[in-house]
Amino acid sequence: MYKRQPQGEGGAAADAAPAPERAAVTPGDPVRVRRLEVPGIGAGAPGRRSRARSERGRVVGSTRPAGPVTRLHLPATVLAAAPHQHARGRTGPGLRIVRDDLRQAVLEGREGNLVLFVVDASGSMGARSRMAAVKGAVLSLLLDAYQRRDKVGMITFRGGEAELVLPPTWSVEAAAARLTGLPTGGRTPLAAGLLRAAEVLRVERVRDPRRRPLLVVVTDGRATGARGGDHLGEARRAAALVAATGTSAVVVDCESGPVRLGLASALGTALGAETLRLDELGADALAGTVRAARQVA
């Protein structure tokens, strides 16, 4: 008689054998994706992703110059000088301006970021059509990173470990090649993937401290491993460790089917990250959401 296996929180049998490895599938067609940004104002290398202080861009304010004035903010300078004209003995037209009145224009442009992908390649992601869609989404994000002058890196996790398949680099072509040849199978060591990401980001902060990172975790949120372990708990503790560093993150929820466990969303909460479904990455999907909101308003 069939005996029902005990169910873990991840929805898979707690003592189930790991899924066999499947051959790599070809990525789906890339699409234009919405811009994912690091919040706040950075000061990194020029690019096209996140907001940053810049030598070029639009004027957003003024400040007292710390050194020579390289771009005068004339209205702010006039406003600083105007209250002192009587005290300075002005009697005719024009303003009397002193060094302390000068204001430097503050410019805002865009910076390039480090986009580190953490991709779930375990057995739970192994359905051919599903993995093709996941790879297509990641390829789309890689092409977007190239256009926005980002550095990219990639970690994959499956079986019993997480692997840095591509250290941070400018070569989007190399990242795409690693992605295309990526097989799937085995258990889901989600915690290992997140901890490997934390280590890579720690090293990159030392190498390039001005370049702000964006962590993109592509998963269905499941976490499995050897029998008896609290694998989801380990994953959430690892996520909290990443969140404590202040790293900006996005979780791409790859869960599909009529019954959804919401594990990727819970992971996003632990990371302090925005969670997007796979079908919400496209710029066309975002534009449709905006149009619908405007019609309701």
Side-chain angles (χ1 to χ4, degrees):
M1 182 176 177
Y2 174 78
K3 181 179 179 181
R4 183 176 176 83
Q5 296 287 352
Q7 296 290 311
E9 188 179 352
D15 57 352
E21 182 171 295
R22 296 173 181 265
V25 300
T26 302
D29 293 334
V31 298
R32 187 169 64 93
V33 296
R34 61 190 294 180
R35 178 167 59 199
L36 305 178
E37 294 188 40
V38 177
I41 307 292
R48 296 179 58 197
R49 184 168 298 280
S50 303
R51 297 168 59 197
R53 295 287 182 250
S54 174
E55 293 299 318
R56 295 193 293 179
R58 62 189 183 94
V59 177
V60 295
S62 64
T63 186
R64 288 180 180 270
V69 176
T70 56
R71 182 157 180 171
L72 181 69
H73 193 294
L74 184 58
T77 299
V78 170
L79 286 173
H84 308 291
Q85 296 306 297
H86 181 72
R88 292 173 186 172
R90 174 195 164 198
T91 58
L95 288 177
R96 290 192 176 182
I97 294 177
V98 300
R99 169 70 190 181
D100 284 348
D101 298 330
L102 299 180
R103 296 294 183 267
Q104 172 82 17
V106 175
L107 306 182
E108 184 180 293
R110 293 275 172 180
E111 66 179 359
N113 298 105
L114 165 62
V115 182
L116 180 61
F117 294 92
V118 179
V119 181
D120 186 345
S122 66
S124 68
M125 303 281 286
R128 177 170 292 274
S129 60
R130 184 182 187 188
M131 199 60 197
V134 168
K135 286 187 174 183
V138 177
L139 180 59
S140 300
L141 290 166
L142 284 169
L143 294 174
D144 181 69
Y146 171 75
Q147 293 168 352
R148 299 192 187 283
R149 303 180 212 166
D150 295 319
K151 229 173 155 178
V152 296
M154 186 181 299
I155 293 167
T156 62
F157 59 94
R158 64 190 181 97
E161 63 180 6
E163 181 183 2
L164 179 60
V165 296
L166 186 73
T169 177
W170 300 106
S171 177
V172 170
E173 293 88 349
R178 300 286 197 285
L179 177 71
T180 300
L182 178 66
T184 58
R187 294 190 171 101
T188 313
L190 177 55
L194 295 171
L195 292 175
R196 191 64 186 271
E199 176 60 20
V200 171
L201 293 173
R202 184 189 67 78
V203 172
E204 286 299 309
R205 284 191 184 96
V206 175
R207 288 178 176 168
D208 193 356
R210 295 181 64 200
R211 187 174 295 275
R212 297 188 296 161
L214 176 64
L215 182 66
V216 180
V217 184
V218 184
T219 182
D220 59 8
R222 293 171 185 259
T224 60
R227 184 188 304 184
D230 178 17
H231 306 297
L232 274 175
E234 291 173 359
R236 288 173 186 165
R237 287 189 288 275
L241 179 66
V242 174
T245 68
T247 300
S248 298
V250 174
V251 174
V252 179
D253 182 0
C254 302
E255 191 174 30
S256 59
V259 178
R260 295 176 183 259
L261 301 175
L263 297 176
S265 179
L267 175 64
T269 299
L271 279 169
E274 180 182 12
T275 301
L276 299 171
R277 294 194 312 273
L278 201 59
D279 57 5
E280 292 177 326
L281 275 177
D284 293 339
L286 176 63
T289 300
V290 172
R291 284 195 297 269
R294 287 175 176 169
Q295 288 170 1
V296 170

